[in-house]
């Protein structure tokens, strides 16, 4: 089993200015205008930043196994700064959960709003694509310990969903 690593070693923070090319076009009054940022663009960034946190923790290739539900709590607009914070919440034997918090900052006012959060599961793999053990995560703060326990519960829930989807009782 690989040596354990603290959560802080996996932290990735990514910021991106949202541009017109990231938005959904919409029609208003017969004219084309820029709408909210495309949710798929945000999901792409979430998967990338979570993958970086997983690689930083494992120091090997990882593949996305699942993305839990994503609710957009507030719209993201052109000209806002998208802020993504990712870190490892929980590790199993060959998989790990990465949590990503998504916020936006209005650069004119400084107002920061939570846009959403997501939990992604990654599997560490070798050069042949076979799963390999991941280093255990070592939660140090009370918040990290709570997120670890929540991640453990979510893993059990995911495993139950997979079991039921395969028709097993």
């Amino acid at each position: 089993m690989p040596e354990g690593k603290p959560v802080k070693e996996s932290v990735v923070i990514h910021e991106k200015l949202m541009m017109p090319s990231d938005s959904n076009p919409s029609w208003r009054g017969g004219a084309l205008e820029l709408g909210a940022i495309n949710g798929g663009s945000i999901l792409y960034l979430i998967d990338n930043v979570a993958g970086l946190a997983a690689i930083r923790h494992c120091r090997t290739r990882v593949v996305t196994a699942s993305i839990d539900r994503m609710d957009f709590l507030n719209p993201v607009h052109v000209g806002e700064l998208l802020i993504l914070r990712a870190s490892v919440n929980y590790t199993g034997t060959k998989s790990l959960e990465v949590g990503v918090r998504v916020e936006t900052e209005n650069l004119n006012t400084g107002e920061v709003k939570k846009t959403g959060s997501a939990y992604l599961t990654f599997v560490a793999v070798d050069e042949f694509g076979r799963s390999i053990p991941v280093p255990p995560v070592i939660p140090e703060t009370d918040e990290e310990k709570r997120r670890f326990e929540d991640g453990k519960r979510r893993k059990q829930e995911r495993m139950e969903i997979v079991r039921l989807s395969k028709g097993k009782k």
Side-chain angles (χ1 to χ4, degrees):
M1 176 68 75
E3 187 177 323
K5 296 181 179 182
V7 172
K8 64 186 170 197
E9 288 188 22
S10 70
V11 173
V12 174
I13 300 172
H14 178 75
E15 298 177 336
K16 182 179 187 303
L17 180 64
M18 294 289 92
M19 302 298 286
S21 60
D22 300 312
S23 71
N24 291 315
S26 62
W27 292 94
R28 180 177 289 190
L32 182 65
E33 65 176 32
L34 298 175
I37 298 303
N38 182 305
S41 297
I42 296 170
L43 289 171
Y44 172 79
L45 294 169
I46 288 170
D47 190 32
N48 282 340
V49 74
L52 289 172
I55 291 168
R56 189 173 264 175
H57 180 79
C58 296
R59 296 297 178 190
T60 190
R61 182 179 306 162
V62 298
V63 294
T64 308
S66 71
I67 301 175
D68 285 10
R69 176 183 173 139
M70 175 68 195
D71 293 317
F72 293 97
L73 306 175
N74 288 295
V76 181
H77 299 99
V78 171
E80 290 183 319
L81 185 66
L82 189 72
I83 306 161
L84 301 107
R85 290 175 168 72
S87 62
V88 174
N89 287 338
Y90 175 79
T91 53
T93 306
K94 295 183 179 182
S95 67
L96 61 157
E97 179 192 271
V98 176
V100 180
R101 180 180 172 92
V102 183
E103 298 174 330
T104 56
E105 178 183 343
N106 180 311
L107 293 172
N108 292 322
T109 66
E111 180 184 16
V112 175
K113 289 184 181 176
K114 182 176 180 184
T115 298
S117 59
Y119 302 104
L120 296 84
T121 301
F122 291 87
V123 175
V125 296
D126 65 16
E127 64 272 14
F128 303 106
R130 295 181 299 232
S131 61
I132 57 175
V134 301
V137 69
I138 303 168
E140 297 174 314
T141 67
D142 288 343
E143 176 69 11
E144 291 169 356
K145 290 173 185 175
R146 180 194 61 77
R147 289 179 23 218
F148 181 89
E149 290 302 319
D150 290 349
K152 183 190 291 186
R153 177 187 45 78
R154 282 187 295 271
K155 180 179 181 176
Q156 292 167 345
E157 291 169 357
R158 287 183 205 107
M159 290 173 67
E160 180 65 11
I161 290 167
V162 168
R163 186 184 68 74
L164 292 173
S165 70
K166 291 181 177 180
K168 297 179 181 176
K169 296 197 184 230

